[in-house]
């Protein structure tokens, strides 16, 4: 990740340098150093940015997305007849629609696998995350508060101490 990739990431999320630093558990100065090419963006920060972007895409209004699920066990293709493959794909306008669909499917099916991907195939919600989100919604809670928590990159905090 170079300075331009980092800046594109920040602009995509619609955040300023201060907010980017806070999300990464670092100072605004660190962000400025990367964007001004004083220091290269560390690999740990690049990975944290990718995870924060994925979490950002978990917003209810993000879309369009595709829900992929299996209503039976997914076995090796050579052990079952081709007519019995059970992977289903459903387009949805946003995450809210797809997650709600999973919640409804769980009432009538024994889901063996379900995940939500964006149009390019990038997974936004893994199966465990998706099922946890459905459970949380049943209890009147959403993972969104957890998603907005900062990710520590292992660097120094603003006070000069390791987090």
């Amino acid at each position: 990740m170079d300075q331009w990739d980092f800046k594109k990431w920040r602009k995509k999320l619609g955040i300023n340098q201060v907010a980017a630093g806070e999300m990464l558990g670092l100072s605004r100065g660190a962000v400025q150093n990367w964007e001004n090419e004083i220091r290269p963006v560390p690999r740990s920060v690049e990975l944290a940015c990718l995870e924060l972007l994925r979490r950002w895409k978990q917003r209810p209004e993000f879309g369009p997305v595709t829900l992929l699920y299996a209503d039976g066990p997914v076995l090796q293709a050579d052990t079952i007849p081709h007519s019995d493959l059970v992977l289903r794909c459903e387009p949805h306008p946003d995450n809210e629609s797809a997650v709600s669909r999973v919640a409804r499917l769980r009432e009538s099916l024994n889901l063996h696998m379900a995940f939500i991907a964006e149009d390019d195939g990038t997974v936004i919600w893994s199966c465990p995350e998706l099922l946890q989100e459905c459970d949380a919604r049943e209890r009147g809670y959403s993972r969104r508060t957890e998603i907005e928590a900062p990710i520590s990159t292992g660097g120094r905090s603003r006070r000069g101490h390791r987090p």
Side-chain angles (χ1 to χ4, degrees), residues 67-70 102 111-116 125-128 130-131:
L67 169 63
L68 297 105
Y69 66 93
V102 171
L111 288 179
H112 289 262
M113 177 192 69
F115 61 94
I116 297 173
W125 290 90
S126 69
C127 186
L130 189 52
L131 298 179

Side-chain angles (χ1 to χ4, degrees), residues 48-94:
C49 289
L50 291 172
E51 178 61 12
L52 287 166
L53 179 61
R54 190 183 67 83
R55 290 181 183 187
W56 178 81
K57 291 177 180 179
Q58 289 180 342
R59 295 170 299 133
E61 67 275 10
F62 182 82
V65 296
T66 302
L67 169 63
L68 297 105
Y69 66 93
D71 55 6
V74 177
L75 306 171
Q76 288 183 324
D78 59 349
T79 63
I80 57 176
H82 291 292
S83 62
D84 292 337
L85 295 176
V86 292
L87 185 62
R88 306 203 191 284
C89 301
E90 296 178 0
H92 287 270
D94 54 37

Side-chain angles (χ1 to χ4, degrees), residues 19-69:
E22 287 173 358
M23 289 176 76
L24 294 165
L26 299 167
S27 69
R28 176 184 178 194
V31 172
Q32 287 175 325
N33 286 340
W34 302 326
E35 290 189 2
N36 292 328
E37 284 192 296
I38 294 170
R39 297 193 192 286
V41 178
R43 178 74 173 144
S44 60
V45 170
E46 179 179 356
L47 295 172
C49 289
L50 291 172
E51 178 61 12
L52 287 166
L53 179 61
R54 190 183 67 83
R55 290 181 183 187
W56 178 81
K57 291 177 180 179
Q58 289 180 342
R59 295 170 299 133
E61 67 275 10
F62 182 82
V65 296
T66 302
L67 169 63
L68 297 105
Y69 66 93

